[in-house]
Amino acid sequence: MADPVLPVPHRPGAVSMFFVAKAGVFALGFWIWLLVLVLTGDDATGAHVLAATGAITTTLVGVVLGIRLALQHSAAVRHAELKRLLVDISWNAFAAAGNAETSGKVVPFPTAPSEDERSSRDRISVFDRAPGGEGSGRDRGGNRRR
């Protein structure tokens, strides 16, 4: 019999990795452009400022997206481990209950009382009592509030 194919846990990254790589390519381009501008020996111009700003910004964006990708990946791994642990715990509890030598104390599921149990109880509601606390019996005078 063939082994069942286990589902692969969620692994974030295809789209996130694309943006990290894209930011890295842009950052590399800006850093090279800035290096070329600096090595030409010209005075600082608007192009220098634009290249430096672009290099710093795209580098920071790449770092932030890379950190986010790493955090998502570690969270996905932790989530998969937690799911595996919960399955193991529930399976072990199920197997232990089935292999128990003595039956444990079983708490029955609560059900509604039958007609016999209802009629045997003498319930007095708040509306059946006499006003002002007089008498503890039922008000048989017909003064019921509805």
Side-chain angles (χ1 to χ4, degrees), residues 38-57:
V38 168
L39 292 178
T40 59
D42 294 336
D43 290 337
T45 62
H48 288 83
V49 173
L50 181 64
T53 304
I56 292 170
T57 302

Side-chain angles (χ1 to χ4, degrees), residues 54-122:
I56 292 170
T57 302
T58 54
T59 301
L60 289 176
V61 166
V63 168
V64 167
L65 289 176
I67 290 171
R68 181 176 175 264
L69 176 67
L71 290 174
Q72 282 181 340
H73 178 73
S74 67
V77 169
R78 280 194 317 269
H79 182 71
E81 282 295 318
L82 181 65
K83 283 174 44 178
R84 236 180 270 121
L85 180 65
L86 287 174
V87 168
D88 287 344
I89 289 171
S90 65
W91 180 254
N92 288 336
F94 175 75
N99 294 335
E101 293 177 8
T102 60
S103 62
K105 186 174 184 179
V106 178
V107 178
F109 188 77
T111 58
S114 64
E115 275 301 315
D116 295 334
E117 292 175 3
R118 285 186 201 151
S119 63
S120 66
R121 295 182 193 161
D122 188 20

Side-chain angles (χ1 to χ4, degrees), residues 28-49:
L28 183 64
F30 276 116
W31 283 111
I32 290 172
W33 183 33
L34 181 62
L35 184 64
V36 168
L37 288 175
V38 168
L39 292 178
T40 59
D42 294 336
D43 290 337
T45 62
H48 288 83
V49 173

